Amino acid sequence: VEEINNVTPEYVRSFEFDSKLMPSTWIVVRIDGCHFHRFSEIHEFVKPNDDRALNLMNLCAVAVLEKFWEDIVFAYGVSDEYSFILKKATNLYQRRANTIISAIVSFFTSTYVMRWKNFFPQSELKYPPSFDGRAVCYPSTEILRDYLSWRQVDCHINNQYNSCFWKLVASGKSKREAQNSLKGAQLQKKIEELAIDYNNLPVMYRQGSSVYRDKVDIALIHQENGEFPENYGKVIVGHIDIIGPTFWLEHPNILD
Ligand code: ATP
Ligand code: ATP
Ligand code: MG
Ligand code: MG
Ligand code: MG
């Protein structure tokens, strides 16, 4: 082994630590846009919900599921965030946290930039967007379901709040006034007061987006190696209730 000024590669490497994610647990990688409050203003997102931006996020999530098709079984997204669920048995990058998070977040981000013009043909990308990422292990399917429920409840509450906020702004209130009048308010009551037809808002705004494979034919998976097998199951985007049991009962192979 080559030495430079008596420094061996082994010595320098001895400072590196690979944090491994706990074996046999669900891994959730959640990514979130950095300063998207500003990013969405500079790029003139429609408030409170810009369809183009949401559809671009969804396309990036589909691309992530196709690239990591052996490991990622489900994803849930809302606003500028996405949660990717890696199956319990995954051995992706030997479960090294840093590698898993950075590979997902950089692939998602470069896809976002590459596909920007498809969703915003009239509006130039003014600076490079970035996302942060974190990984959390969940030891049981029950707790993983609780995690997903928490994200969907958050989607609902934020969407109620934002619907009221932007309705108040549209009615001539300043952002500060709108914020003050919603402080501690019961959102359900506010929605009625402001005559917002909440239940008829697009389901994507109310439920967020879920990304998964339609049907997985286990018998066909083993016929091919490496590349995403065509018959593995098309990746689809749905806007559905993932808190109740129905979806999971109808798709028993996702979290099996
Ligand atoms: P941080 O870097 O801490 O995540 P942030 O500014 O990204 O800060 P978030 O809490 O992640 O804050 O909120 C994201 C913000 O991005 C939302 O509050 C909203 O203003 C904006 N945003 C994201 N997606 C959309 C969309 N599809 N339509 C309109 N606005 C959006
Ligand atoms: P991994 O995903 O494990 O990192 P890798 O294919 O990226 O696999 P590396 O050990 O990171 O392997 O090596 C990067 C490779 O990329 C080099 O071996 C070289 O073939 C190629 N490469 C990178 N930069 C250049 C460059 N500037 N000019 C020519 N080839 C390059
Ligand atoms: Mg953040
Ligand atoms: Mg953000
Ligand atoms: Mg966010």
Side-chain angles (χ1 to χ4, degrees):
V1 184
E2 222 178 293
E3 287 187 23
I4 306 157
N5 300 330
N6 297 322
V7 177
T8 63
E10 288 73 21
Y11 164 72
V12 183
R13 268 209 171 270
S14 72
F15 289 84
E16 284 191 14
F17 285 97
D18 279 340
S19 306
K20 299 260 186 129
L21 294 162
M22 204 188 301
S24 299
T25 54
W26 296 104
I27 300 169
V28 175
V29 174
R30 183 169 74 252
I31 68 165
D32 186 282
C34 300
H35 310 300
F36 261 48
H37 187 75
R38 173 168 181 260
F39 183 84
S40 63
E41 278 180 1
I42 286 185
H43 294 90
E44 298 174 326
F45 284 14
V46 176
K47 294 290 180 175
N49 292 289
D50 188 304
D51 283 305
R52 301 164 299 176
L54 294 171
N55 289 326
L56 173 56
M57 291 289 292
N58 294 345
L59 175 129
C60 294
V62 169
V64 168
L65 257 80
E66 285 176 349
K67 180 170 170 65
F68 298 96
W69 64 272
E70 286 181 288
D71 304 287
I72 302 182
V73 293
F74 188 82
Y76 177 73
V78 46
S79 180
D80 67 339
E81 72 166 62
Y82 244 102
S83 298
F84 296 97
I85 316 296
L86 286 78
K87 63 186 183 191
K88 275 184 166 182
T90 186
N91 197 33
L92 182 65
Y93 305 123
Q94 291 81 53
R95 296 179 81 95
R96 288 197 296 262
N98 292 337
T99 318
I100 291 174
I101 298 163
S102 57
I104 291 175
V105 88
S106 71
F107 183 78
F108 187 98
T109 307
S110 57
T111 306
Y112 191 99
V113 171
M114 228 176 121
R115 297 305 202 93
W116 172 267
K117 63 178 179 312
N118 298 55
F119 292 85
F120 290 87
Q122 326 288 13
S123 128
E124 179 202 3
L125 194 51
K126 300 207 170 63
Y127 66 88
S130 57
F131 290 81
D132 62 33
R134 69 200 67 190
V136 182
C137 294
Y138 290 99
S140 71
T141 307
E142 197 187 4
I143 303 176
L144 176 69
R145 289 267 313 272
D146 289 341
Y147 169 80
L148 290 169
S149 300
W150 168 55
R151 294 326 299 147
Q152 193 162 45
V153 166
D154 208 55
C155 166
H156 175 66
I157 292 167
N158 285 335
N159 191 50
Q160 282 190 321
Y161 181 92
N162 291 335
S163 300
C164 293
F165 179 88
W166 289 102
K167 181 94 181 198
L168 287 164
V169 170
S171 76
K173 287 221 181 336
S174 73
K175 288 183 183 173
R176 162 106 14 122
E177 287 168 339
Q179 201 177 3
N180 284 336
S181 91
L182 290 173
K183 208 165 271 170
Q186 270 227 311
L187 290 174
Q188 196 55 52
K189 277 209 191 107
K190 276 280 172 192
I191 282 171
E192 284 157 31
E193 264 173 52
L194 293 166
I196 295 170
D197 191 4
Y198 190 82
N199 292 331
N200 283 322
L201 288 179
V203 65
M204 176 162 68
Y205 306 168
R206 292 180 287 117
Q207 306 262 46
S209 299
S210 295
V211 182
Y212 53 96
R213 284 181 198 86
D214 201 11
K215 290 186 209 87
V216 178
D217 190 339
I218 302 292
L220 294 169
I221 298 168
H222 300 291
Q223 292 178 3
E224 301 180 45
N225 288 318
E227 288 297 291
F228 180 73
E230 240 173 71
N231 44 25
Y232 187 54
K234 193 175 149 47
V235 177
I236 59 171
V237 181
H239 313 291
I240 41 159
D241 179 353
I242 53 170
I243 296 172
T246 312
F247 172 76
W248 302 106
L249 289 169
E250 284 171 357
H251 298 82
N253 45 12
I254 294 178
L255 298 184
D256 63 2

